Amino acid sequence: MSHRHHLLTISIITLLLDSALFVSCSRESREATLFPDNVLRLAQQDLGRKLDDLSLDQSALEVSDTDSLTKDESAALTFLYAYMDLPDLMDHTPEYYLANVRTALQAREELPWGKKVPAKLFRHFVLPLRVNNEFLDDFRTTYYTELRDLVQGMTMEEAVLELNHWSHQHITYAPSDGRTLPPMSTLRNALGRCGEQSTFVTAVLRTVGIPARQVYTPRWAHTDNNHAWVEAWVDGEWHYLGASEPAPVLDNAWFDAPVLRAMLLHTTAFGHYSGDEEWLGETPVSTELNVSDNYVPTATAKARVLRPDGTPAEGAEVTFRLYNYAELYPLVRRTANKLGEASVKLGLGDIVIVANEGPLIAMQKLTVRPDAEPVELTLGSWEELPDEQSFLLTPPAEKRPSTRFTPEQEEQNNLRLAQNDSIRHAYTATFPTREGGYELAKSLGLSGKKADQVAEYAVLSRGNHEVITSFLKKAHSNGRIDDAISLLGSLRPKDLGDISAAVLADSFHRDLTPEQWQNPDIICPRVMLEPLFPSERELKLWVDDIASTTPDFYSGTLSDRAEAIGEYIRTFWVDDRYNPRRMPMSPAATWKLHGGDERSLTILLVRLLRTAEVPARYDTANGVVLYTDESGADHLLRIAAPQDPETGTGDDTRTCPLQLTYKEPQSFLKKPLYEVHYTVNYLKEEDSHLTTYGFDYEAEPADINGTNLLYTRNLLSTGIRQADGTARYLLRKLPCGVPTELHFDINDDLVNVIGELDAENLYFDHRAQAEKSILSTTGRGYYLLVLARPHHEPSDHILRDLQSLLDDTGAFPIPVVALTPDKGQQQILQALLPQATWGTDTQGILGSIAAGMEQEQPLEFPVVVVADTFNRIVFFSQGYTIGIGDRIAAVLESIRMED
């Protein structure tokens, strides 16, 4: 941060760091101590450099009673502060970290495996609080005693399995936005997406001294979406488990089959870490590790990049990309060496390698396999890039995972799952219902739309319902219920489940006009997916500080006000060196540092504008801040000094309007959806890094047409997946202001008879309470058959995806029969697909499908079949996949065309 006005030369906190030097540096002590001398010396140096770079004085890290620190506590604090992300350094007190350090050390002393955990693993995978991008909370100190007592007397393996059941008692899966709730919020709401579930279970395991880490496949190869789970270190080895999805044994989960088709699996270690895993990258605060070898066969994907004159492109950026969500997602970024080479270990499938240097770019497909030759890419200009490129991208081959447990173990585990469900359901039964929400609205004197809103907020509040109910009641007593409803309505649905009373009160105290209270771009405390802090009063003081140096700040136009705030923020430094994950800091921390990563500065800028009563928002499509003037016109306000991204001229008036067209009868797709079927991408002039515009997920072309794109070198991506997961991908240049038709590389031979299934097969029909044949339920013709399993995330996904097949009247184009393997379990799933005929597979239809498809048994749930009553199967899928509704729609469209 050389552009800072000055850097303070400070001494490292005397008692915190000097006491750490007393640790012996002998070989024997290095092996016995948690923090060997070499580790501490490096941490000291790194911490000193961090504090110096940030111009923070020593008071930022001082605990109130340094005399009480033990050597291990002092060393642990040194290590944590050296490598924690900047938001963690700025937004939590030294006493907070000391309490958590003491709990971690207590676990090491009190649990039977504590001293067996190697010091290195303790430092990197037990001591750290951070798992993902969650806000750090008090989970470890709050739940340590309960969890310790739960696993006393168990082996490490027994403890991991038991703690996963404890987690399942408290939380289950539900999709949501990308903000990762902290463990206590997840616990309070009893729900989490996979990133939250795995963050939660990692925190649970670390709390009792078991090394744990979150593992991700950043994107699946055979289907859209990604997944996260947990690895736990047990008696000398890392083992995996589905987070809050207990299996009878370790190294077993519902994702066993899809993970065998993954191209990359990775994890993040706290600080500088070296182990057996391939190194993917390092920052000043963390190390990225490739754990793919632990799961799948791999080979080294190699690329050699040349400049137009044929010389090696040393320093060029090389990204190994995978088709997913209708874009080429960057799995791994490398920098080319002196020979222009870059490589990484990946699973055995197809990727696209994209290389760029300055304005130059090149891309080429690579099939990763052990004998594959390096791909050679020659960089060229935008003009030399083909107008259209097509790729047929095949994922790793489908494989059958091994079964690692006995039927008796599975039966016992299923009993535990049912018990867990009953415990969790007893808790969630205390949450507000929609009927209860209407009762609350009635008590507040509300009816009509406002009553509907309150009922919705009550349901969304889940375990946070007391905070939301109290806020509404207090607002009503103060005659401000309309303002309160507006404030809650400005939030994301997920916010209702964890927003604090302090944030609501802080946001609600503002003196605004009735019209302003109806404008979310003024009243909303949320900008992106950041943690929410009670910052409004501080923001007002900061705005007043800016106003004091700006003539006519409040009496001028909104544009004058916005530009004054923007000019002030542009004096802040921008750097993400100590915040490589770009996790948002609190506005107070960003203001105190007079800088931060671009995301944190953007949040502060929008919050300052809103506090100054300038309507403002973050435009996710272009990644910029927009404010609205008195006429209703939007204006761009930059964090950096205004300049055109292409020419550097400072001209923000250039427009590149987006104009996409689509002929609905063109294919089976009724409505192409953003990040499902298509994306719009751009190349910056300065680095040609291929990036996707952030339009809303599932936006239709009509929703985004007319948008002025920030860049002019744009590309249109379209993609379709076949039943086996193979992607047919098109990448086309997208000229500004020219109508461009969305079209897809569709296989004209989608429908083949691939197996057989007797339509006279019987199942138990729950509506009829009798055995019925498939034929008697569906009648003659094609039908869709689904076999799903409760407590099973892939089954949930499939049933939700099938909703895309519904027509405008809410009906399926063909009859749908959905079966579960056991009676009495269908109610859990039926709500996800109520239009289907539900039943139980009592007569072995699953086995008949396997036989008719010549598949090994047992099949992986969920199983989806399109067949006809002439006993022909034309579509078959088993196991985890996303977007299956679109694939079936393609089949049905082809069937219709054949008819």
Side-chain angles (χ1 to χ4, degrees), residues 835-883:
Q835 302 87 350
T837 298
W838 280 86
T840 304
D841 180 15
T842 53
Q843 303 295 324
I845 290 178
L846 192 65
S848 297
I849 295 172
M853 289 297 303
E854 298 184 352
Q855 295 280 325
E856 294 183 22
Q857 295 194 53
L859 298 178
E860 292 287 331
F861 281 96
V863 173
V864 182
V865 166
V866 176
D868 66 10
T869 49
F870 296 102
N871 303 334
R872 303 177 300 180
I873 295 176
V874 297
F875 176 88
F876 168 77
S877 172
Q878 65 171 321
Y880 179 77
T881 188
I882 296 294

Side-chain angles (χ1 to χ4, degrees), residues 103-155:
T103 303
L105 294 173
Q106 185 179 356
R108 189 168 177 82
E109 291 294 325
E110 295 182 346
L111 275 301
W113 49 79
K115 296 294 181 61
K116 298 178 184 178
V117 173
K120 181 177 180 179
L121 293 182
F122 178 86
R123 292 193 301 270
H124 294 279
F125 299 109
V126 174
L127 181 64
L129 294 169
R130 174 153 305 289
V131 179
N132 194 303
N133 62 0
E134 77 281 9
F135 184 72
L136 302 184
D137 65 10
D138 295 319
F139 179 84
R140 182 175 296 191
T141 53
T142 302
Y143 282 92
Y144 169 70
T145 301
E146 178 179 339
L147 296 176
R148 177 202 62 192
D149 294 347
L150 177 66
V151 298
Q152 282 287 8
M154 295 183 181
T155 66

Side-chain angles (χ1 to χ4, degrees), residues 691-825:
T691 308
T692 300
Y693 285 102
F695 291 111
D696 290 342
Y697 179 65
E698 294 190 343
E700 298 177 34
D703 299 329
I704 64 176
N705 272 340
T707 302
N708 285 324
L709 302 177
L710 190 59
Y711 302 96
T712 57
R713 300 196 305 168
N714 298 309
L715 295 157
L716 177 64
S717 293
T718 59
I720 291 294
R721 281 198 190 272
Q722 299 177 172
D724 64 355
T726 297
R728 308 181 73 88
Y729 176 67
L730 289 177
L731 185 66
R732 302 157 59 201
K733 286 183 177 178
L734 182 61
C736 291
V738 176
T740 303
E741 183 179 352
L742 278 168
H743 68 258
F744 299 85
D745 182 12
I746 299 170
N747 188 342
D748 293 328
D749 190 25
L750 279 171
V751 176
N752 293 292
V753 177
I754 57 177
E756 60 181 34
L757 176 65
D758 188 349
E760 296 288 356
N761 269 305
L762 299 177
Y763 72 95
F764 182 82
D765 187 291
H766 290 291
R767 184 177 301 167
Q769 286 294 296
E771 298 284 342
K772 292 184 64 177
S773 68
I774 296 173
L775 175 60
S776 67
T777 300
T778 64
R780 289 293 179 185
Y782 284 99
Y783 63 90
L784 172 63
L785 177 64
V786 185
L787 291 101
R789 198 175 76 196
H791 317 296
H792 190 231
E793 183 177 330
S795 294
D796 291 350
H797 271 298
I798 290 290
L799 294 173
R800 289 187 177 94
D801 277 351
L802 291 176
Q803 295 283 347
S804 65
L805 292 172
L806 297 173
D807 62 21
D808 295 339
T809 68
F812 282 107
I814 58 175
V816 178
V817 176
L819 306 178
T820 56
D822 301 302
K823 287 185 179 180
Q825 296 185 336

Side-chain angles (χ1 to χ4, degrees), residues 169 190 418-431:
Q169 287 176 12
Q419 293 170 359
N420 297 343
D421 286 340
S422 65
I423 293 170
R424 188 177 61 256
H425 291 160
Y427 169 62
T428 58
T430 67
F431 291 176

Side-chain angles (χ1 to χ4, degrees), residues 434-651:
R434 190 166 297 277
E435 292 74 19
Y438 279 111
E439 287 297 319
L440 173 62
K442 184 178 179 181
S443 71
L444 301 174
L446 301 174
S447 60
K449 180 180 178 180
K450 291 178 182 177
D452 294 339
Q453 289 175 288
V454 167
E456 179 70 12
Y457 301 156
V459 171
L460 292 172
S461 67
R462 295 185 65 82
N464 200 41
H465 56 89
E466 291 183 0
V467 169
I468 301 302
T469 299
S470 176
F471 172 67
L472 288 169
K473 288 181 177 179
K474 186 173 181 180
H476 176 257
S477 66
N478 293 329
R480 297 187 59 195
I481 188 63
D482 289 352
D483 295 344
I485 291 174
S486 294
L487 179 60
L488 295 179
S490 73
L491 300 169
R492 287 175 170 262
K494 190 172 181 176
D495 293 333
L496 279 297
D498 77 324
I499 194 168
S500 70
V503 169
L504 287 174
D506 178 72
S507 303
F508 201 53
H509 90 284
R510 301 177 64 188
D511 183 17
L512 301 172
T513 66
E515 291 75 17
Q516 289 172 326
W517 274 110
Q518 297 302 311
N519 189 341
D521 288 346
I522 290 179
I523 66 172
C524 186
R526 174 165 300 292
V527 179
M528 298 182 188
L529 294 176
E530 73 277 15
L532 297 182
F533 298 87
S535 304
E536 191 58 45
R537 289 174 173 81
E538 292 173 299
L539 288 162
K540 184 64 169 65
L541 293 175
W542 302 333
V543 168
D544 288 344
D545 285 346
I546 298 172
S548 67
T549 62
T550 306
D552 304 322
F553 181 86
Y554 285 111
S555 60
T557 65
L558 292 179
S559 292
D560 293 337
R561 208 178 299 174
E563 291 301 329
I565 293 172
E567 183 178 352
Y568 188 84
I569 291 297
R570 284 191 286 273
T571 67
F572 285 33
W573 53 263
V574 184
D575 197 316
D576 59 14
R577 189 187 322 174
Y578 297 109
N579 187 14
R581 285 181 273 200
R582 299 176 181 86
M583 295 182 297
M585 288 187 293
S586 68
T590 309
W591 185 269
K592 178 181 179 180
L593 286 171
H594 212 71
D597 66 286
E598 186 172 346
R599 188 172 297 178
S600 296
L601 264 66
T602 296
I603 291 166
L604 176 61
L605 174 58
V606 173
R607 292 297 305 275
L608 287 169
L609 290 168
R610 291 175 178 176
T611 298
E613 301 176 13
V614 179
R617 68 185 185 277
Y618 177 68
D619 174 16
T620 58
N622 285 300
V624 295
V625 173
L626 298 177
Y627 72 88
T628 307
D629 66 17
E630 290 86 347
S631 70
D634 286 338
H635 301 271
L636 187 153
L637 191 62
R638 295 184 183 276
I639 295 294
Q643 64 173 354
D644 185 275
E646 302 287 333
T647 66
T649 62
D651 178 15

